[in-house]
Amino acid sequence: MIILAIPAYNEEDNIGRLFDRILTTWQAPGPYQVILVNDGSTDRTAEVAASYRDRLPLTIVNHSPNQGVGQAFRTAFRTALDLGGPGDTLVMLEADNTSDLGILNDLLARVREGYDLALASCYMPGGGIDGTTWLRLMLSESANMLLRVAFPIGVYTYSSFYRAYRLEALRRATLTYGDMLIEEPGFVCAVEVLVKMSRMNMRIAEVPMVLRSKERQGTSKMNVMRTVNRYLHFIAHHRFQRGTSALPLPARPVDLGEM
C-alpha cells in the first residue's frame, strides 16, 4: 500500500485541487490511502477535504489549535505507522500543489529498488525552482549550500517535504530515536529527519523536480528568515556541538505507543 500524508494549515484554496490531481493525473501503481493532517486550520480546509471522502480513501486527523509543522509530521508518521505494514511506502506531500505528482511514481520506484528514502530534488541536475522571488531563491540556495557543507550525506536537496519513505525504515528510525526523531517545531523538521536517517546508514536516492511556486494559491506559510535562522541553529546544534557521529540514542527501545 502507498500512504500519501499531507500536512495542511489553511489550505482551502489548494486542498481540493490537490485531491483532484491525485484522482485524475496520478496513475497509482497499487492501492493507496490518503492521510490529511489538518493542523488547526481556521478556514474551510477540513470541510473541503471531507467532501472527498466518497471519492478518496481518506483519513483526516485534526489538530486543535495549530501545533506547527513538526507536530504535523509527527502525527503523519504515527498515523502511517499505525495504518501500514511491511512493504508499504509513505509519501509526504505538500498541500499547496507544489509537489509535482508527475515524479511520484519515480520516487516510488526508487523505494522499490531498495532505497529507504527517495527525495524530490530541485537542486540536483534536471531540477529547478520556478515562480519565486530572487530573495527567496537566494536564501533557499544559500541555506541548502550550508546544509550540504555541514552534513555531507551525498544529496543535493535537504529541505524538500516531498519524499517517499520505505515504511519499515521509518519505523526503525522511530524506534531508534523516539521523540528525538523530530525535535524541530517548524519547517526544519524535514532536514532533521533526513540527517538522522542518514546517520543510521539508510540508503537515500533523489529524483529531479522543478518546484513550481505558481501552482500555489495564496502565499507560502513559510517565514523564510525565521526558517533560515532555524537552519543555522540546527547546524550549530547538530554539527558543531555534537559532531558528525550518530546522535545519542534512547537507553531502551521506544514503544511506538508512547509517542
Side-chain angles (χ1 to χ4, degrees), residues 83 147-148 169:
L83 287 175
L147 289 164
R148 290 176 66 182

Side-chain angles (χ1 to χ4, degrees), residues 13-36:
D13 294 329
N14 288 300
I15 197 63
R17 293 172 58 236
L18 175 58
F19 285 174
D20 287 337
R21 287 180 173 183
I22 292 172
L23 288 165
T24 61
T25 69
W26 177 46
Q27 299 297 316
Y32 69 94
Q33 174 76 32
V34 178
I35 300 168
L36 178 75

